[in-house]
Amino acid sequence: MGKEAKTHALEEMQKLLKEEAEKRRKQIMRRDVPEDRTLANALMTLTRQELDDIRYNVGVSGTSNLNKGELVEKLIPAIVEFSGKWFVSIVDEQYQALRHVVQHDGISTEFRTDEIRLDYFQSIGVLMSGAYKDKPAWYMPTEIMEEFQRLDSGSFTKAVNWNTDMLRVASGMLFYYGVLDYDQLFAKIKPYLEVAEDTFEFVDFMRVMFNGACWQHNVVTAEKIMYYYTVMAPEELYKSIQETDLPYAKLSYTKIYDAGDENYIEATDAYKTLAQFFMSAYEMDVLRAANVVGEITIIFQNGGKMKDVLKYIETLGAQKANDEEHAMAPLLIAFHNSLRMWSLKGHTPAEVVSGKLDTPEDNVVSFSEHRRKKIGRNDPCPCGSGKKYKNCCLHKDEK
């Protein structure tokens, strides 16, 4: 793509983003924030469809014959009860957003207009949107704020940190394994978090997983399984994996934790070499090359063959010299052999062929040991107590 074409494409993208942002702004501004921000007043600003979404999400039934006022009346106690259970499943990003609203007297105009994840909060009734002083605003109904403030404490923030680590470890596992049923995921998480059986219940784990999947884009929940978002046919993959005699790859906590980042890329040497090839042969910038290698990864992970990858590469539009074609083939093969394949339960093809399934550095490392490496003695303790790590949980981790 020439310089002028790139500039035009960038301008078109910026124009589209600006239009979407304005559309989003108008959507929020179509109703006013009520002067008295009770849950009843907040719910009355919503459409019937929006109320039905909340009704479904908080588990209220038998409302088809109710008018709007009657539906709101029935939703109020259900939302308050639901919020109390839901708050204990939130992760740090959610906690910071909600706490920000509470610290601003229950309303804020400081969120980005394009932060669509806030719609999730509205779909369960804990935050609402509207026009406030001619600005798009998000606010927490009074009853919900009281419930949040009742729970917010050192022990609550410790639970939030725990939920955050749990979700990140689960996301990292799905990055490498592709798909797991909930029993498998629950069992595999325990060794990484060093959790006692009597303090880690399946129902709490499920709440965090379902909440996390509604918030993050990289994991998806289904009735019986949870899978990475780039898995194209999760049920088929799950079935084929269960029929594979290979053991699951043993991966270190650090590797799993890093892979749990929503935008994680496993930049192996083979990955870097292939990306550099596309940058050179196709005159791509770094981001474009990364996207191309990402697409190739998705093709391979979903059972695609080399011919499928080559067919995709043909769509890139750039002309290749014969020597570049020959150079690309071994790079693609090396990249494929270095991938931790879902179909191989997290092993690479090279490991399976060699018979060396688990290298020493892939042994499980405990959560506490990883935490000691990551946190300085004078850093804030991750339990949320507000104390320095050396004056709080360090002595517990050293035991």
Side-chain angles (χ1 to χ4, degrees):
M1 184 183 292
K3 184 176 181 180
E4 291 184 3
K6 288 182 180 179
T7 301
H8 178 71
L10 180 60
E11 290 175 348
E12 287 296 311
M13 181 178 295
Q14 290 174 338
K15 180 181 177 182
L16 180 61
L17 291 174
K18 187 176 180 180
E19 290 174 352
E20 288 297 318
E22 182 59 25
K23 181 180 177 181
R24 170 78 173 168
R25 184 179 185 279
K26 289 180 178 179
Q27 180 185 18
I28 295 175
M29 296 286 287
R30 74 183 189 272
R31 53 180 168 243
D32 292 328
V33 173
E35 185 175 345
D36 185 7
R37 299 192 294 270
T38 64
L39 188 52
N41 289 340
L43 292 173
M44 288 301 292
T45 68
L46 304 182
T47 65
R48 179 69 190 224
Q49 180 59 57
E50 289 169 331
L51 291 174
D52 280 336
D53 288 342
I54 295 176
R55 175 198 62 76
Y56 176 81
N57 291 331
V58 301
V60 174
S61 58
T63 63
S64 57
N65 295 325
L66 300 181
N67 60 37
K68 185 175 181 178
E70 292 169 335
L71 176 57
V72 166
E73 186 177 345
K74 189 164 185 175
L75 283 176
I76 291 172
I79 293 172
V80 173
E81 180 181 0
F82 175 87
S83 68
K85 297 176 181 177
W86 177 81
F87 280 140
V88 297
S89 73
I90 64 175
V91 295
D92 185 63
E93 221 177 3
Q94 295 172 319
Y95 172 75
Q96 297 301 335
L98 296 170
R99 193 161 183 264
H100 166 79
V101 175
V102 172
Q103 289 177 331
H104 288 75
D105 296 324
I107 188 166
S108 175
T109 59
E110 297 178 17
F111 289 110
R112 288 167 53 109
T113 306
D114 60 355
E115 182 52 273
I116 60 174
R117 292 187 300 177
L118 296 177
D119 291 346
Y120 168 49
F121 290 155
Q122 183 162 292
S123 74
I124 55 176
V126 299
L127 278 190
M128 301 292 180
S129 63
Y132 181 72
K133 297 181 179 180
D134 296 323
K135 293 181 179 180
W138 287 87
Y139 65 99
M140 187 178 291
T142 305
E143 297 93 329
I144 305 303
M145 189 159 69
E146 290 173 352
E147 186 69 14
F148 182 86
Q149 290 173 320
R150 181 183 68 82
L151 291 170
D152 196 12
S153 64
S155 59
F156 181 56
T157 52
K158 184 176 182 180
V160 169
N161 290 332
W162 179 260
N163 295 342
T164 305
D165 284 324
M166 190 195 312
L167 179 62
R168 180 146 180 170
V169 169
S171 301
M173 286 184 175
L174 294 173
F175 176 89
Y176 287 115
Y177 300 146
V179 57
L180 293 166
D181 64 46
Y182 295 112
D183 288 329
Q184 289 174 327
L185 191 55
F186 181 63
K188 289 183 179 299
I189 281 179
K190 290 181 181 180
Y192 290 90
L193 299 182
E194 287 191 336
V195 60
E197 291 287 340
D198 59 347
T199 61
F200 188 38
E201 297 186 4
F202 185 75
V203 65
D204 299 322
F205 157 79
M206 289 296 290
R207 284 173 178 161
V208 174
M209 294 301 106
F210 275 93
N211 170 53
C214 290
W215 184 254
Q216 295 185 179
H217 78 275
N218 61 336
V219 291
V220 184
T221 53
E223 183 180 359
K224 297 180 180 179
I225 59 175
M226 192 167 180
Y227 57 95
Y228 203 66
Y229 78 110
T230 51
V231 176
M232 298 294 103
E235 295 288 351
E236 291 85 344
L237 177 63
Y238 174 75
K239 183 178 179 181
S240 67
I241 288 176
Q242 303 313 304
E243 296 171 351
T244 302
D245 292 332
L246 280 172
Y248 280 96
K250 296 178 182 179
L251 304 171
S252 69
Y253 181 91
T254 300
K255 186 181 288 290
I256 290 286
Y257 188 85
D258 289 346
D261 184 90
E262 285 189 75
N263 301 305
Y264 181 71
I265 294 174
E266 188 166 38
T268 61
D269 290 340
Y271 172 96
K272 294 175 184 177
T273 302
L274 185 58
Q276 289 167 356
F277 166 81
F278 284 111
M279 291 170 65
S280 174
Y282 287 79
E283 297 183 344
M284 294 179 178
D285 59 29
V286 174
L287 290 178
R288 175 63 174 146
N291 287 336
V292 169
V293 180
E295 290 295 326
I296 292 172
T297 302
I298 293 173
I299 294 171
F300 279 143
Q301 287 285 29
N302 284 282
K305 307 300 181 185
M306 190 64 70
K307 64 178 182 179
D308 301 308
V309 171
L310 294 175
K311 186 176 180 180
Y312 161 69
I313 292 174
E314 288 178 1
T315 68
L316 299 179
Q319 295 295 316
K320 306 184 297 294
N322 288 333
D323 59 337
E324 289 172 342
E325 289 183 3
H326 293 308
M328 181 170 60
L331 298 183
L332 288 171
I333 293 171
F335 178 62
H336 173 269
N337 289 338
S338 72
L339 279 177
R340 291 195 173 276
M341 302 294 293
W342 300 331
S343 59
L344 300 178
K345 294 184 175 178
H347 297 289
T348 68
E351 288 174 341
V352 173
V353 171
S354 68
K356 299 177 181 179
L357 297 185
D358 292 307
T359 55
E361 64 268 21
D362 284 338
N363 292 330
V364 173
V365 177
S366 73
F367 172 51
S368 295
E369 182 176 341
H370 173 82
R371 186 166 68 172
R372 287 197 295 272
K373 291 178 181 178
K374 293 288 184 180
I375 302 170
R377 291 174 56 85
N378 292 314
D379 289 340
C381 186
C383 77
S385 66
K387 300 178 181 178
K388 291 184 178 181
Y389 183 45
K390 66 182 181 182
N391 296 327
C392 192
C393 290
L394 176 60
H395 69 285
K396 298 177 185 177
D397 292 341
E398 290 176 336
K399 290 180 180 180

